Amino acid sequence: VLERVEDWTGAERAHRRSYEILCRLFGKDSPRAAVSLANLASTLDQLGRDEEAIAALEEALRVNQKAFGGGGFPGESIIRNSLAWQFLDAGRPLAAQVEFRRSVAAAQRERGPGHSDVAWPMRGLAEAELAMGQLAAARATYEEALALRTKFHGRQHWEVAQSLVDLAGIAARLHDAEAEGDSLREALAIRRAVLPASHPDLARSVIALGQFLCDHRQPAEGAALLGEGLALAAAAPGLAAETERAQATQSTCAAGE
């Protein structure tokens, strides 16, 4: 409840109290205590205390590995994925890359190699590769995640749209405008089909394609999409940054600048 109302300091106190109780009842090396540590780490992340969050997740890993005999354990992929993101947030992309790969392997063991859950740590791995300037490797990893999600869900699914947006971002960095535009258009078509009009990701897709078109000398369609995107964003939460950028682009795009 404290996390839902974004009282992160209060949430930290509650998690630490929970951890103390579980340690007293079941012992510090109990997997139940490890769950509490992993929960604490998510709150520490919100407080910007990356190294403390890393320490909590590493301890949760240690406890589970000891409890389950050093092999895999239930929920390993989630803890490793969280740890990898903390490494990335702390500016340690190489350590993040190692943990994302371990998370991928754990997800494949837990869910099967063809399950869409495997794509989540794959996306993180691509982000680590991006942070190290490995654009070609990141693109290949995102493409692998897209292929996995498409095979598991079919093409009309919000996770597929997310992977297409990821690929559009890589294409932009590689100055591949054709691939970027194709990915943005398909992602928007999927989101129109599967998301409600109030969903923030739909507004993001409309705005992203509008900005792309404005940047690539298609002002009429681009400005129209930006207008639609701004209307959608007004009814969706958490889009202040996207709205500001869209408004700035719209004024120049409509004028043909």
Side-chain angles (χ1 to χ4, degrees):
V1 171
L2 292 166
E3 288 180 345
R4 284 177 180 270
V5 299
E6 299 185 359
D7 179 358
W8 304 113
T9 301
E12 180 191 1
R13 286 195 299 268
H15 281 312
R16 290 192 183 280
R17 180 61 179 149
S18 169
Y19 178 62
E20 291 169 3
I21 293 169
L22 289 167
C23 286
R24 185 173 71 249
L25 291 174
F26 303 106
K28 189 175 181 180
D29 287 339
S30 164
R32 297 190 185 191
V35 169
S36 191
L37 276 176
N39 291 336
L40 171 62
S42 68
T43 297
L44 293 170
D45 173 50
Q46 292 291 335
L47 289 166
R49 288 152 59 184
D50 294 329
E51 294 302 328
E52 290 179 67
I54 287 169
L57 289 165
E58 288 180 328
E59 176 64 7
L61 277 175
R62 183 197 69 78
V63 168
N64 277 298
Q65 286 173 325
K66 181 177 179 181
F68 289 92
F73 57 87
E76 179 182 358
S77 62
I78 295 173
I79 293 179
R80 289 198 181 278
N81 189 59
S82 297
L83 178 57
W85 279 110
Q86 289 299 154
F87 280 137
L88 204 55
D89 289 346
R92 297 161 65 181
L94 182 57
Q97 184 182 49
V98 170
E99 283 303 324
F100 278 128
R101 284 177 174 160
R102 289 172 176 168
S103 180
V104 168
Q108 289 171 333
R109 289 194 304 270
E110 293 165 5
R111 307 290 281 166
H115 199 283
S116 65
D117 285 355
V118 179
W120 291 102
M122 276 185 183
R123 291 186 68 242
L125 175 58
E127 289 294 316
E129 290 165 340
L130 275 178
M132 293 186 288
Q134 299 171 359
L135 297 186
R139 190 178 207 174
T141 302
Y142 276 138
E143 286 172 345
E144 187 177 358
L146 172 61
L148 192 157
R149 285 172 161 174
T150 300
K151 185 175 181 179
F152 190 85
H153 293 296
R155 202 68 173 179
Q156 294 292 101
H157 194 274
W158 69 269
E159 288 186 13
V160 172
Q162 181 187 60
S163 286
L164 287 165
V165 170
D166 292 335
L167 282 168
I170 290 282
R173 293 182 64 166
L174 292 169
H175 307 291
D176 186 348
E178 182 178 0
E180 181 185 2
D182 288 346
S183 292
L184 288 174
R185 284 187 183 280
E186 186 177 2
L188 175 55
I190 293 170
R191 284 175 169 172
R192 284 194 192 280
V194 304
L195 297 179
S198 59
H199 198 289
D201 281 348
L202 177 57
R204 289 187 179 100
S205 265
V206 174
I207 289 170
L209 182 57
Q211 289 174 320
F212 170 83
L213 293 171
C214 286
D215 291 343
H216 291 82
R217 302 181 184 279
Q218 299 178 62
E221 186 181 359
L225 282 169
L226 287 175
E228 179 191 355
L230 285 168
L232 290 170
L239 294 175
E242 289 88 345
T243 297
E244 184 177 353
R245 287 195 299 270
Q247 288 170 335
T249 304
Q250 186 184 40
S251 62
T252 56
C253 185
E257 298 176 14

